[in-house]
Amino acid sequence: MVLAPAVGSGTHQSCPCDEPSHSLSQAASSGPDNWFYAVGSTRSNVTGVVTVVPDENGQPKVGLDYQANAWDRYSWDESKGVTIDLPWGSNMSIPDGQMARLHTTGIAQEFDMVGSSSVKHCDLGGPAPNQNPLPQPDQPGREGDRTDPGREQQEAR
């Protein structure tokens, strides 16, 4: 984790922090197959701000506001591919070159994939660490419909 110099005045200090980006290709391949086959690998990072303020006794109280981010260009690389295990025991290999042909012939389109969580707050405690559980992730989904408010922006590229 990278911490920037603290900023603030007197009793209140804030320090931006950034976890460098990572590739999630291995994590995605060990998770649900549908997710891996739909998006492949993804880049991700976590950014946030650590804040220190005095509590009612003048002791430091530490908090963290953070956000998770993921992004990738959904595209097909000629040198890559995927092998899918079939339920009856055999498998099927799909080279990315075949998928790239769908793009070059106009049947499919490459696209940018970008997402961020809401900002979460975690109370890290003061002189004694906070033992409460960490905040839970946001609930996934689009509220039950297939509309995508940002789709018009993507079509303009």
Side-chain angles (χ1 to χ4, degrees), residues 29 55 71 113 121 140 156:
S29 64
D55 66 10
W71 66 96
M113 181 176 60
H121 177 78

Side-chain angles (χ1 to χ4, degrees), residues 87-141:
W88 48 86
S90 62
N91 60 40
M92 175 175 55
S93 292
I94 304 172
D96 266 16
Q98 285 182 343
M99 300 303 289
R101 189 162 184 275
L102 295 174
H103 173 76
T104 58
T105 59
I107 297 172
Q109 184 176 355
E110 297 176 348
F111 59 91
D112 293 327
M113 181 176 60
V114 179
S116 296
S117 71
S118 60
V119 175
K120 299 289 187 178
H121 177 78
C122 183
D123 216 352
L124 299 175
N130 182 354
Q131 298 299 324
N132 293 332
L134 293 172
Q136 294 299 305
D138 295 333
Q139 292 296 317

Side-chain angles (χ1 to χ4, degrees), residues 33-95:
D33 288 343
N34 288 342
W35 178 257
F36 173 70
Y37 295 137
V39 300
S41 65
T42 303
R43 303 291 301 172
S44 68
N45 75 343
V46 177
T47 57
V49 176
V50 176
T51 304
V52 181
V53 296
D55 66 10
E56 60 278 352
N57 299 317
Q59 296 295 312
K61 181 178 174 186
V62 182
L64 171 64
D65 293 297
Y66 63 94
Q67 182 176 42
N69 309 289
W71 66 96
D72 192 34
R73 173 80 178 155
Y74 191 86
S75 58
W76 298 283
D77 300 318
E78 292 286 334
S79 63
K80 295 179 182 175
V82 66
T83 299
I84 300 172
D85 293 325
L86 300 173
W88 48 86
S90 62
N91 60 40
M92 175 175 55
S93 292
I94 304 172

